[in-house]
Amino acid sequence: DSGVTQTPKHLITATGQRVTLRCSPRSGDLSVYWYQQSLDQGLQFLIQYYNGEERAKGNILERFSAQQFPDLHSELNLSSLELGDSALYFCASSKGRRTLYQETQYFGPGTRLLVL
Amino acid sequence: GENVEQHPSTLSVQEGDSAVIKCTYSDSASNYFPWYKQELGKRPQLIIDIRSNVGEKKDQRIAVTLNKTAKHFSLHITETQPEDSAVYFCAASTPGTYKYIFGTGTRLKVLA
């Protein structure tokens, strides 16, 4: 158990709908990262937040948005869902300190999204 | 843009043999290289990492080597066991970017 929690574990929805995925980082971690992993694919970095502020952005679609709240949990919002959005969505966390070397990221268990 | 290439995409070895997975990164400023193991349907878990100020790091049966000149790094697993079967991802990180760029993964099968 990494200490990172994600809810829900599974989500089934229809095309055109909107869903919200939730992540709580490890105790003491200020930074949250979101990744998308499609079937048999690698991990695509979506976005990173540090202490409530967006810090880095990857290939995140305009239909997707995220935020980090004062209690440091984060939500990833996916709207106008398409079949191709079906994937595992992982959240990871780290302390987020500005150090010479990137810190280890600890991954949550993921949310499996199925768009029908 | 930043890119990490990983080879091979699949690897089958006999139990007890060694396995080697190689990654090449594009950004010469990258200085941190973690390796993650992901079992089917599970979260990626860090198994070993290396910083650019060292050339090799070892942890029991697992080792990572880094060649900064050639911009590649490799994962070595010795005395493989069936429980080593999983997908392994390499990643590279550049200071100031606050993100990892992951390789495409290697599916390792250890045959008993």
Side-chain angles (χ1 to χ4, degrees):
Chain A
D1 187 358
S2 66
V4 180
T5 61
Q6 288 186 250
T7 57
K9 288 189 71 173
H10 303 277
L11 199 48
I12 301 175
T13 188
T15 55
Q17 295 298 305
R18 172 190 169 95
V19 297
T20 298
L21 313 183
R22 183 188 169 105
C23 167
S24 291
R26 295 186 320 155
S27 177
D29 284 357
L30 300 180
S31 205
V32 168
Y33 310 77
W34 285 99
Y35 291 88
Q36 180 192 54
Q37 186 176 40
S38 301
L39 188 64
D40 286 339
Q41 296 294 310
L43 292 152
Q44 297 296 319
F45 169 71
L46 296 177
I47 198 163
Q48 181 210 359
Y49 278 82
Y50 172 76
N51 204 20
E53 299 291 325
E54 181 185 308
R55 186 181 251 182
K57 212 166 187 175
N59 296 323
I60 188 167
L61 299 172
E62 285 191 12
R63 300 183 285 110
F64 296 1
S65 64
Q67 53 183 326
Q68 187 179 27
F69 295 86
D71 67 352
L72 301 177
H73 91 270
S74 178
E75 293 181 356
L76 179 67
N77 300 296
L78 315 176
S79 61
S80 303
L81 284 167
E82 302 175 357
L83 296 178
D85 297 327
S86 296
L88 260 173
Y89 290 84
F90 286 105
C91 163
S93 77
S94 74
K95 294 208 179 325
R97 293 167 298 191
R98 292 181 187 269
T99 54
L100 176 59
Y101 300 100
Q102 174 68 285
E103 297 171 323
T104 298
Q105 295 181 20
Y106 297 91
F107 282 77
T111 293
R112 185 173 295 278
L113 173 67
L114 180 59
V115 182
L116 300 175
Chain B
E2 303 149 329
N3 185 50
V4 175
E5 292 186 1
Q6 184 171 347
H7 299 282
S9 56
T10 60
L11 179 59
S12 293
V13 299
Q14 290 292 327
E15 183 177 359
D17 287 351
S18 295
V20 180
I21 303 170
K22 298 181 180 179
C23 289
T24 303
Y25 58 98
S26 61
D27 188 346
S28 57
S30 295
N31 69 351
Y32 176 67
F33 309 92
W35 284 89
Y36 283 83
K37 175 184 180 182
Q38 186 180 27
E39 297 176 4
L40 191 62
K42 300 284 183 66
R43 76 185 79 199
Q45 291 190 289
L46 180 75
I47 55 171
I48 196 167
D49 56 10
I50 192 167
R51 295 175 172 179
S52 60
N53 59 346
V54 298
E56 183 173 359
K57 185 175 178 181
K58 195 171 181 180
D59 182 4
Q60 299 182 336
R61 296 186 298 109
I62 294 173
V64 56
T65 57
L66 172 64
N67 182 328
K68 286 188 293 184
T69 303
K71 292 192 288 186
H72 64 69
F73 57 111
S74 300
L75 177 70
H76 305 255
I77 306 174
T78 59
E79 301 171 23
T80 53
Q81 301 165 3
E83 52 265 38
D84 293 330
S85 296
V87 178
Y88 291 81
F89 290 97
C90 63
S93 181
T94 302
T97 64
Y98 304 109
K99 61 184 179 182
Y100 292 173
I101 303 299
F102 279 91
T104 49
T106 296
R107 186 175 300 278
L108 174 64
K109 295 181 185 176
V110 180
L111 308 171

